[in-house]
């Protein structure tokens, strides 16, 4: 069982694993909602694996004063996170820009409250002109508040994009950050997941999972089409057209365009091997 997808931490397991693992306790877990954009770690204060977004829901399976062991409901990923959990709200809208600022007053000259990132989900309770009014739940570090965010940066939940490449292009220039999923930093599989989920296409969190699950495998030397995925060991990129990729990568340390043939040659030359799969989503 893949530890990244198995809701079991050596002590507590989800009830679905009864009879499959030897746990001290089997639990249903409690559904909670993420605020902020915390990383999931492989152990308390360990290596970061993936990143959650404001409004994501998780199943809390085990918790201590300074960490919670959770499973993300959007992709099944499990890990340890610190704080940043509240009871679920009714969420109505999602962020459509790479990142946007939220304010405590409907005035962009006032001090900002926080930053929300693409696909973060919020509860809109009203509006004032160009501003959407958000209900922000009470937490350990702040009382319940009303925030304001530009209404043009939101769309109703359930409204999807139709072009994954167009979504990925929102992140051009975003710094490369291992395990990142936000406009402040993103990695190769985070970029693909953001692009596909925004188009209502289910997508796991890591590139090896994506290679195993997404699309139809194409024969070698098949010309690329917009939206095709190219996989290497530990890396994934998306075709913009027949000649160009977009990917978050450590060579550019950013989300960048790169000619397909140049990327294939460069990645092979740096010791990371050939393309292992070329897949088409439809």
């Amino acid at each position: 069982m893949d530890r990244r997808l198995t809701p079991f931490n050596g002590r507590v397991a989800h009830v679905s694993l009864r009879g499959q693992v030897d746990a001290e306790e089997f639990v249903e877990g409690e559904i909670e909602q993420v605020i902020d954009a915390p990383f999931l770690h492989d152990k308390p204060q360990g290596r970061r694996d993936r990143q959650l977004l404001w409004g994501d829901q998780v199943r809390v399976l085990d918790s201590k004063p300074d960490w919670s062991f959770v499973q993300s409901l959007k992709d099944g990923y499990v890990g340890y996170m610190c704080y940043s959990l509240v009871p679920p709200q009714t969420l109505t809208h999602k962020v459509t820009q790479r990142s946007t600022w939220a304010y405590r007053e409907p005035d962009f000259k006032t001090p900002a409250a926080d930053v929300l990132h693409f696909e973060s989900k919020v509860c809109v309770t009203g509006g004032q002109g160009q501003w959407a009014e958000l209900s922000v739940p009470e937490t350990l570090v702040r009382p319940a508040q009303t925030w304001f965010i530009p209404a043009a940066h939101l769309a109703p939940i359930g409204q999807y994009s139709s072009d994954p490449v167009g979504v990925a292009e929102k992140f051009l220039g975003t710094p490369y950050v291992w395990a990142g999923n936000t406009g402040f930093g993103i990695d190769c599989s985070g970029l693909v997941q953001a692009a596909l989920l925004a188009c209502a296409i289910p997508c796991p969190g890591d590139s090896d999972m994506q290679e195993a699950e997404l699309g139809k495998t194409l024969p070698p030397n098949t010309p690329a089409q917009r939206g095709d995925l190219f996989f290497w060991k530990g890396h994934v990129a998306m075709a913009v057209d027949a000649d160009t990729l977009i990917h978050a990568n450590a060579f550019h340390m950013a989300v960048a365009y790169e000619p397909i043939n140049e990327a294939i040659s460069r990645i092979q030359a740096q010791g990371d091997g050939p393309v292992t799969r070329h897949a088409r989503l439809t």
Side-chain angles (χ1 to χ4, degrees), residues 30-96:
E30 297 289 335
I31 304 301
E32 300 272 356
Q33 178 182 309
V34 173
I35 58 170
D36 206 359
F39 282 99
L40 288 177
H41 300 261
D42 63 346
K43 58 185 177 181
Q45 300 181 342
R47 191 187 79 162
R48 63 184 185 269
D49 275 338
R50 282 259 55 91
Q51 190 172 18
L52 299 170
L53 300 172
W54 187 291
D56 281 350
Q57 289 193 341
V58 298
R59 186 184 307 277
V60 180
L61 299 165
D62 194 11
S63 62
K64 299 294 182 185
D66 58 348
W67 57 258
S68 296
F69 178 66
V70 307
Q71 183 168 37
S72 170
L73 298 192
K74 72 181 178 184
D75 60 9
Y77 217 109
V78 303
Y80 293 84
M81 59 175 288
C82 297
Y83 311 118
S84 302
L85 291 171
V86 296
Q89 284 180 292
T90 299
L91 301 172
T92 63
H93 289 72
K94 60 184 180 179
V95 174
T96 58

Side-chain angles (χ1 to χ4, degrees), residues 2 6 27 35-36 58 103 111 113 123 130 154 183 211 242 275 278 281:
D2 190 328
T6 304
V27 300
I35 58 170
D36 206 359
V58 298
Y103 300 85
C123 176
Q130 66 177 341
L154 299 174
E211 181 173 8
V275 171
H278 174 193
L281 294 173

